[in-house]
């Protein structure tokens, strides 16, 4: 068992990987593909590109989970002109708090982004593992990153936001690429 009751082979299959290296049945350390090897050694990735042993040695500290295949969406972020320039030059800085906790807040609905400032940035976002947050007080509302999720998603008309529009909170700004400013 590597994670959540599943062996590495099952995890590779679940993530659609077709590059499994199946060793002998007794060699459970080799039941994964080359793409899922630890960046520090050759063991199975458990979290953020590292095996459990490397994580235990504090080789890396992170809240990111074993990465699923890329799932990209176009999303929008509304802000002021000066902040938009800063974002375009230096990338996003995650908020420290908010309804969904730390992260960068975006929406696939441009009208939601327009409510947050005179400038709307169109972005490409790799959402990774997504946690649906569909009610206030949801147990994962502010802790989804620690649970291995990359993005929190509030579906439309679920009662979480007054506008009824969908909202996303992406934990790692590196998963967001600014495409352009949207002409309003």
């Amino acid at each position: 068992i590597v994670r959540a009751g599943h062996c590495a082979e099952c995890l590779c299959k679940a993530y659609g990987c077709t590059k499994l290296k199946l060793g002998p049945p007794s060699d459970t350390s080799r039941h994964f593909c080359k793409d899922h090897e630890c960046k520090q050694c050759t063991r199975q990735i458990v979290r953020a590109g590292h095996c459990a042993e490397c994580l235990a040695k504090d080789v890396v500290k992170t809240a990111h989970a074993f990465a699923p295949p890329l799932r990209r969406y176009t999303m929008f972020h509304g802000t002021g002109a000066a902040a938009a320039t800063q974002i375009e030059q230096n990338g996003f800085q995650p908020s420290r708090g908010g309804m969904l906790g730390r992260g960068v807040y975006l929406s696939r609905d441009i009208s939601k982004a327009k409510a947050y400032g005179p400038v709307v940035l169109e972005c490409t976002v790799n959402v990774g593992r997504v946690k649906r947050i569909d009610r206030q007080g949801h147990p994962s509302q502010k802790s989804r990153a620690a649970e291995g999720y990359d993005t929190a998603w509030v579906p439309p008309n679920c009662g979480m936001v007054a506008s009824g529009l969908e909202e996303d909170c992406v934990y790692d700004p590196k998963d967001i690429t600014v495409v352009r400013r949207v002409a309003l």
Side-chain angles (χ1 to χ4, degrees), residues 2-114:
V2 173
R3 184 164 181 251
H6 296 284
C7 69
E9 181 179 350
C10 291
L11 284 174
C12 278
K13 286 179 183 176
Y15 289 119
C17 177
T18 58
K19 299 180 261 183
L20 298 175
K21 288 197 269 177
L22 299 177
S26 61
D27 183 12
T28 57
S29 67
R30 299 305 296 170
H31 283 227
F32 57 95
C33 73
K34 179 76 174 158
D35 293 342
H36 298 155
E37 285 184 354
C38 178
K39 293 174 184 173
Q40 302 295 323
C41 65
T42 58
R43 293 183 184 90
Q44 164 67 35
I45 288 176
V46 175
R47 292 175 68 87
H50 297 278
C51 70
E53 186 176 331
C54 289
L55 285 170
K57 291 178 183 175
D58 288 331
V59 169
V60 65
K61 290 186 178 184
T62 183
H64 284 269
F66 181 83
L70 295 179
R71 294 188 319 176
R72 292 191 170 105
Y73 291 94
T74 296
M75 294 189 190
F76 303 94
H77 179 83
T79 190
T85 300
Q86 279 291 107
I87 292 166
E88 289 167 327
Q89 292 174 353
N90 305 311
F92 282 96
Q93 295 296 314
S95 66
R96 290 194 175 99
M99 176 182 71
L100 299 168
R102 179 189 185 277
V104 178
Y105 287 76
L106 305 107
S107 180
R108 285 180 280 172
D109 190 323
I110 194 168
S111 61
K112 172 82 173 178
K114 286 179 183 178

Side-chain angles (χ1 to χ4, degrees), residues 147-170:
E147 296 168 13
Y149 292 93
D150 303 295
T151 302
W153 173 59
V154 175
N157 302 312
C158 70
M160 283 285 290
V161 293
S163 68
L165 301 173
E166 76 96 39
E167 186 168 331
D168 301 86
C169 182
V170 179

